[in-house]
Amino acid sequence: MVVLYHFCDLSGEPVFRWVPLVCSAKLAVEGFFVMSGCLIVASYENSSSFMQYIEKRARRILPAYWAALAFTLLIGVCFTSLPKAAFLESPASWKYVLSNITFLNFIHPTLPGLFTNNPVMDSVNGSLWTIKIEIMFYFFAPLLVYICRRCGRWQTLAGVFLLSLIYKSICEQFHHDSLALQLPAQLGFFSIGAFVYYYYPWFVKHGKPFWIVALFSYAAYLFTDWMFFRVIGISLFVMCVGLLFPIRKGQIRSGDFSYGVYVFHFPVIQIFLAVGIFHRYPLLSAGLISVIVACVSFASWHLVEKPYLLGSRAKGPMVQSVMTRA
């Protein structure tokens, strides 16, 4: 959904005018935050120590993230309008590296002389804004689990959910849209994911009512525009799709390419826009970009992500067994 949306958003091509009607990058990211709440809390609860938990999270997110950063620097060297020596010596290039290494992509999202004539923005990898939120989730989860143990699970999660919605509503009321995209505004999605993890057997047992609540909540949001209904509707729908459909047990044979697609697709689209191919042949370009991103993501999984995960000193259990034990 994010890749398809960026075809439309970054190019402005009329042929993709229908895309916002059927998919939304915002909705996809919110769904990702729901899954994060379920799986990150599961990861912490099934770790023997805080350090083992941090190691597992670092091994999952950092290798591909660093590879994506190196990938964008290589793109910068190849496609910048500056002389290569000037590009490498520019303080702006190293400010980009520093801001991205520290997960603060928004501080300096551009590289000198790169994508400056692209139609919408010259950001090199605009998708990375969510990574800092994911990192913050990583450090928030232990605190959330601690409070759940002291004050009760559903009471804590309900409190986080309501406070998150209040904060988000205030931000939107005063037109602070950028703050409404950050924490703690996104904790409403995260808290419902954590709720489903903690009450997984009950969730599965009452699966049909949850489907109904999810669909009616999102329909209510469409009529009322109340964020309360949006968060509940999207969160429960994602959890229902992920956990109530028949589960194919066992490892994914070909690999897990979702993260690689997410961190690599944006700069590839920007390249096609910068050289003018996308505007001449938008549909063909979209197809070629999809193939390139698939290949890069395949390579990222097998050469970068998987080796680091296999090298973990203590591997976490499979999601299915985690849910069974919950």
Side-chain angles (χ1 to χ4, degrees):
M1 290 177 66
V2 173
V3 176
L4 184 60
Y5 185 84
H6 283 154
F7 285 154
C8 172
D9 188 53
L10 294 178
S11 71
E13 289 294 325
V15 71
F16 294 109
R17 193 177 299 160
W18 56 272
V19 169
L21 301 176
V22 298
C23 77
S24 163
K26 179 183 177 182
L27 188 149
V29 169
E30 289 169 344
F32 171 68
F33 291 155
V34 179
M35 291 185 284
S36 292
C38 184
L39 297 177
I40 292 173
V41 170
S43 178
Y44 182 73
E45 286 280 25
N46 289 277
S47 297
S48 59
S49 66
F50 176 76
M51 291 308 299
Q52 187 200 59
Y53 161 75
I54 291 298
E55 180 190 357
K56 289 192 294 185
R57 296 299 89 219
R59 285 179 177 274
R60 183 65 191 100
I61 201 169
L62 290 181
Y65 182 82
W66 288 336
L69 176 57
F71 182 65
T72 56
L73 287 175
L74 178 62
I75 289 173
V77 172
C78 296
F79 291 93
T80 181
S81 59
L82 302 178
K84 290 180 173 54
F87 173 84
L88 293 173
E89 294 171 359
S90 172
S93 297
W94 298 108
K95 187 175 181 180
Y96 172 85
V97 173
L98 181 61
S99 64
N100 278 270
I101 284 180
T102 54
F103 307 105
L104 301 175
N105 176 267
F106 65 94
I107 291 179
H108 200 83
T110 62
L111 282 168
L114 186 63
F115 304 147
T116 54
N117 295 320
N118 280 15
V120 175
M121 65 176 72
D122 56 352
S123 176
V124 181
N125 199 344
S127 295
L128 298 185
W129 72 271
T130 61
I131 301 298
K132 68 178 182 300
I133 297 179
E134 188 73 359
I135 297 296
M136 294 170 71
F137 282 156
Y138 287 177
F139 288 98
F140 175 74
L143 175 62
L144 179 68
V145 171
Y146 173 79
I147 299 175
C148 283
R149 292 171 180 173
R150 295 293 298 269
C151 303
R153 290 173 175 175
W154 74 263
Q155 297 93 329
T156 300
L157 296 172
V160 170
F161 173 80
L162 292 175
L163 290 175
S164 171
L165 284 184
I166 291 171
Y167 174 85
K168 190 175 183 68
S169 298
I170 293 174
C171 290
E172 293 179 345
Q173 181 70 28
F174 291 95
H175 305 290
H176 295 301
D177 295 337
S178 60
L179 292 178
L181 294 174
Q182 310 300 324
L183 292 190
Q186 304 292 0
L187 286 176
F189 299 100
F190 189 88
S191 62
I192 293 181
F195 177 87
V196 171
Y197 165 72
Y198 278 129
Y199 296 96
Y200 176 71
W202 181 69
F203 177 78
V204 172
K205 182 178 179 181
H206 300 88
K208 187 175 293 185
F210 277 111
W211 274 111
I212 296 172
V213 171
L215 296 174
F216 272 88
S217 294
Y218 195 74
Y221 163 74
L222 295 178
F223 281 99
T224 64
D225 203 35
W226 289 2
M227 187 54 59
F228 174 85
F229 290 121
R230 179 182 178 89
V231 176
I232 291 179
I234 291 175
S235 300
L236 290 182
F237 182 78
V238 168
M239 289 289 94
C240 287
V241 170
L243 299 176
L244 298 182
F245 281 163
I247 297 174
R248 178 186 176 277
K249 297 182 179 180
Q251 296 183 352
I252 302 173
R253 292 183 179 181
S254 55
D256 180 1
F257 310 125
S258 57
Y259 184 41
V261 169
Y262 189 73
V263 297
F264 286 107
H265 79 275
F266 197 101
V268 178
I269 296 175
Q270 290 286 63
I271 291 173
F272 274 69
L273 290 168
V275 299
I277 299 176
F278 204 108
H279 292 296
R280 289 196 294 272
Y281 310 103
L283 292 178
L284 176 61
S285 296
L288 290 174
I289 291 169
S290 300
V291 172
I292 292 171
V293 170
C295 293
V296 172
S297 302
F298 181 89
S300 173
W301 170 254
H302 287 284
L303 301 179
V304 179
E305 300 168 61
K306 184 178 178 181
Y308 276 89
L309 288 173
L310 292 178
S312 177
R313 290 195 298 270
K315 304 178 186 64
M318 296 286 290
V319 171
Q320 173 65 13
S321 59
V322 167
M323 293 303 175
T324 301
R325 289 204 308 276

